[in-house]
Amino acid sequence: MPVKEQLIDVGRYRLRAVEQGEGPLVLMIHGFPGLAWSWRHQMAPLAEAGYRAVAIDSLGYGGSDRPADPAAYTSDHMQDYLIALLDHYGAAQAVIVGQDFGAQYAWNLAVRAPERVAGLVATIPYDYDMAGRAMLGSGPRYPADAPARPEGSSPDRLPSERFAAMAQEHFVHLHYFQQVGPAERELAARPREFLARLLYALSSEGDLWSWKTASSVGSGYLDVLPPAPPLPWPWLSEAEFDRFVAEYVGAEPMLRFIGGLNSYRTADANWRIGERWADHDVGTPTLFLYGAKDPAFGFFPDWEERMPSRVPGLRGMIAVPGAGHFVQQEQPEAFNRALIAFADTVTR
């Protein structure tokens, strides 16, 4: 089946979408670093199973528009962009699949516009409003004047304050990315090296948390990410990696990684926006499909205990062996089997 590509007007901006197949819509949303290309292994299998597979370059990535203003990336705006996409395809509902920041947007869509979501597949736990409340709800746990604690998610203090508390102990990218300029310059100067190091560090074989041995003072992200082994890797060929690199370096240098950086910079705004929704449970039929060795889960303490009560629509939690943060790329066959079986239960 042919693969189609188009730029879709979602209001203020345009998003590039890649699609294949006909049938119920399955919309796939990547995170950082990612692209529509991150879903290359899902397109044909979904199309062959009778679905209209659509993967987008999120705002600030690939062939989509790249606004410099972080305000364009807040959760309420991202919600509007996704609903505009569904409207463009004439889909009253869709199966929404999200990875990393894409999972944040997918969870939010299921909570805030549940009538548009036939089913949700997420690879990161609920309440991923980028350092949101970790399914703890809206009520504070500590006195208002208590110092910020080095916690990834909390209902008590603004994310930027918690990031700063973390940075007192060791380097953490959540804090480093808050200031406009340094990260843009550092990553734009060495994009190929950065992408290789981060993709490997977040994989099942990587060592993302090595940054705990480095000080925040004078450190950039490339100072704390360990070197990556030469390509190819079991899950990524040189040609596939070159495609990732080309999509980033084709942009103006200070905007090469703006989609990811600005998504981190919306943390405080999203935390405030998210308060209204923090006590909402997810009744949408949901599959939690994640890499068994995803290092990012270190930011989500006790998620396994909280998920069943906060996500009453949960149909299953599947840990995919041999996969890290990029589960749909690292173990595509296992991911696709589970995705298509779940989609069949909510659309057929």
Side-chain angles (χ1 to χ4, degrees):
M1 298 180 200
V3 177
K4 306 173 187 176
E5 183 176 315
Q6 61 180 312
L7 278 175
I8 298 173
D9 187 339
V10 294
R12 300 167 61 195
Y13 303 108
R14 299 168 304 159
L15 300 182
R16 181 169 70 181
V18 178
E19 67 174 283
Q20 188 172 7
E22 297 292 338
L25 182 64
V26 178
L27 176 62
M28 294 171 283
I29 316 164
H30 67 81
F32 180 63
L35 298 162
W37 181 241
S38 302
W39 304 99
R40 62 196 176 279
H41 301 302
Q42 282 67 55
M43 300 294 291
L46 281 167
E48 291 163 5
Y51 291 96
R52 188 177 197 176
V54 174
I56 61 169
D57 287 341
S58 282
L59 191 70
Y61 295 84
S64 294
D65 287 344
R66 295 171 179 256
D69 184 0
Y73 298 79
T74 58
S75 61
D76 51 358
H77 289 313
M78 298 304 295
Q79 177 92 353
D80 292 342
Y81 308 149
L82 293 179
I83 289 175
L85 279 170
L86 298 183
D87 291 343
H88 170 84
Y89 285 106
Q93 287 191 320
V95 176
I96 309 296
V97 187
Q99 184 266 336
D100 189 70
F101 282 117
Q104 167 196 336
Y105 309 143
W107 283 116
N108 286 342
L109 194 64
V111 171
R112 304 173 192 183
E115 72 282 358
R116 305 304 300 268
V117 184
L120 167 68
V121 179
T123 69
I124 289 291
Y126 174 41
D127 198 29
Y128 192 52
D129 250 349
M130 189 52 243
R133 292 169 174 81
M135 294 181 277
L136 291 168
S138 61
R141 299 167 299 162
Y142 311 128
D145 59 352
R149 302 184 181 213
E151 298 174 317
S153 299
S154 172
D156 296 283
R157 297 291 291 270
L158 285 169
S160 62
E161 296 171 347
R162 291 183 269 113
F163 300 164
M166 290 184 201
Q168 293 295 316
E169 300 178 353
H170 55 75
F171 178 92
V172 61
H173 68 300
L174 304 169
H175 177 69
Y176 175 62
F177 287 164
Q178 294 304 305
Q179 183 181 350
V180 175
E184 278 92 339
R185 289 187 289 271
E186 179 198 14
L187 304 184
R190 298 157 68 184
R192 189 177 186 88
E193 180 183 359
F194 167 64
L195 286 168
R197 288 191 181 203
L198 187 56
L199 288 169
Y200 192 79
L202 283 164
S203 75
S204 63
E205 300 299 321
D207 184 18
L208 178 71
W209 292 91
S210 61
W211 67 45
K212 284 194 170 184
T213 64
S215 169
S216 291
V217 179
S219 295
Y221 208 8
L222 283 164
D223 295 319
V224 304
L225 283 172
L231 288 153
W233 307 331
W235 61 276
L236 189 68
S237 71
E238 290 187 68
E240 288 172 320
F241 177 70
D242 287 344
R243 175 70 175 267
F244 276 113
V245 174
E247 294 281 4
Y248 282 95
V249 301
E252 177 185 331
M254 290 296 282
L255 297 178
R256 282 177 175 169
F257 296 98
I258 199 66
L261 297 177
N262 274 349
S263 294
Y264 286 99
R265 291 167 186 156
T266 63
D268 284 357
N270 285 349
W271 189 87
R272 293 186 176 102
I273 293 167
E275 183 175 12
R276 175 183 174 189
W277 308 98
D279 298 310
H280 283 61
D281 294 336
V282 184
T284 298
T286 299
L287 175 64
F288 190 52
L289 182 58
Y290 64 100
K293 298 181 68 177
D294 188 338
F297 278 49
F299 288 112
F300 308 104
D302 305 322
W303 68 269
E304 287 184 274
E305 291 75 19
R306 296 176 192 156
M307 281 274 286
S309 61
R310 293 303 310 273
V311 188
L314 191 64
R315 299 279 184 87
M317 295 197 300
I318 300 176
V320 179
H325 198 54
F326 307 108
V327 53
Q328 83 277 27
Q329 299 180 72
E330 294 179 66
Q331 296 293 338
E333 292 185 5
F335 187 91
N336 294 346
R337 281 196 303 270
L339 167 60
I340 292 169
F342 172 75
D344 286 347
T345 69
V346 298
T347 63
R348 305 302 189 190

